[in-house]
């Protein structure tokens, strides 16, 4: 009961900002609904940039093959850390536990965008972004980690404000993100040997 009351209180408090400003409403829609679609664009762009930096004016074209190949192997690990929590661990939990979203749980939620009434717990978005942020820090990508942590917090906040998730859904996603990053880090040697290195070698051979 305590958790339910906490979720309802935080939801009611967060939703007070809805309708106070068209700019804020638009911000929450863009961050809460659309930012995640930037990921499938950003990862391939980063992949190509690591090998072909010259068109971007970075002056890094003199790097050795070993340098950019290693960085792309790290990028594969990084992607796995996010996807593992987002598409595997989270999905497994949802097979065994169903929790309705606030918008369909009779909470009189002010909706800024439609979301299908599927499982609310845990938050896939939180699992993805916190998984990315955690692994960036593990790799020593501090600046990237800072930006991804900010993105994770903003996305998670927007998902609550828009009534898409409960606060504890976000906490669940956070834990899953930390767990998925930890699993990939723990298994990084076999992941590099059997997944990342062969994949990087194959894609390099075909010019990608």
């Amino acid at each position: 009961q305590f958790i339910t009351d906490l979720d309802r209180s935080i939801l009611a408090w967060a939703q007070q900002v809805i309708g106070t400003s068209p700019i804020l409403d638009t911000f929450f829609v863009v961050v809460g609904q659309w930012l995640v679609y930037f990921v499938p664009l950003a990862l391939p762009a980063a992949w190509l940039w690591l090998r072909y930096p010259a068109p971007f004016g970075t002056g890094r074209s003199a790097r050795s093959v070993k340098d950019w190949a290693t960085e792309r192997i790290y990028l594969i690990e990084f992607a796995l850390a996010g996807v593992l929590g987002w598409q595997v661990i989270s999905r497994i939990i949802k097979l065994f536990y169903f929790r309705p979203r606030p918008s369909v749980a009779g909470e009189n939620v002010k909706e800024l965008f439609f979301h299908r009434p599927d499982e609310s717990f845990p938050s896939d978005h939180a699992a993805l972004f916190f998984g990315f942020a955690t692994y960036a820090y593990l790799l020593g990508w501090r600046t990237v980690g800072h930006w991804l942590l900010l993105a994770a917090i903003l996305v998670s906040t927007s998902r609550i404000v828009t009534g898409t998730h409960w606060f504890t859904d976000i906490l669940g996603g956070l834990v899953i993100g930390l767990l998925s990053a930890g699993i990939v880090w723990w298994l990084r040697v076999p992941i590099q040997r059997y997944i990342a290195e062969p994949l990087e070698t194959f894609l390099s051979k075909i010019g990608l």
Side-chain angles (χ1 to χ4, degrees), residues 70-78 139 141 188 192:
T70 299
E71 290 174 4
R72 301 212 307 178
I73 288 170
Y74 293 163
L75 185 62
I76 293 172
E77 297 174 35
F78 170 81
L139 287 171
W141 299 351
R188 71 185 310 232
Q192 287 180 355

Side-chain angles (χ1 to χ4, degrees), residues 116-168:
R116 63 186 184 279
D118 55 0
E119 303 89 348
S120 185
F121 182 90
S123 168
D124 297 337
H125 286 66
L128 176 68
F129 281 99
F130 280 113
F132 279 155
T134 302
Y135 208 80
Y137 284 122
L138 289 173
L139 287 171
W141 299 351
R142 292 180 57 83
T143 300
V144 174
H146 293 340
W147 282 107
L148 286 170
L149 179 59
L150 176 62
I153 293 171
L154 291 177
V155 169
S156 298
T157 301
S158 297
R159 302 292 282 182
I160 297 173
V161 170
T162 57
T164 312
H165 278 296
W166 304 98
F167 173 69
T168 50

Side-chain angles (χ1 to χ4, degrees), residues 91 94-95 97-101 117-122 165:
R91 301 292 179 181
K94 290 180 178 182
L95 287 175
Y97 178 73
F98 176 81
R99 185 189 200 188
R101 295 184 182 276
D118 55 0
E119 303 89 348
S120 185
F121 182 90
H165 278 296

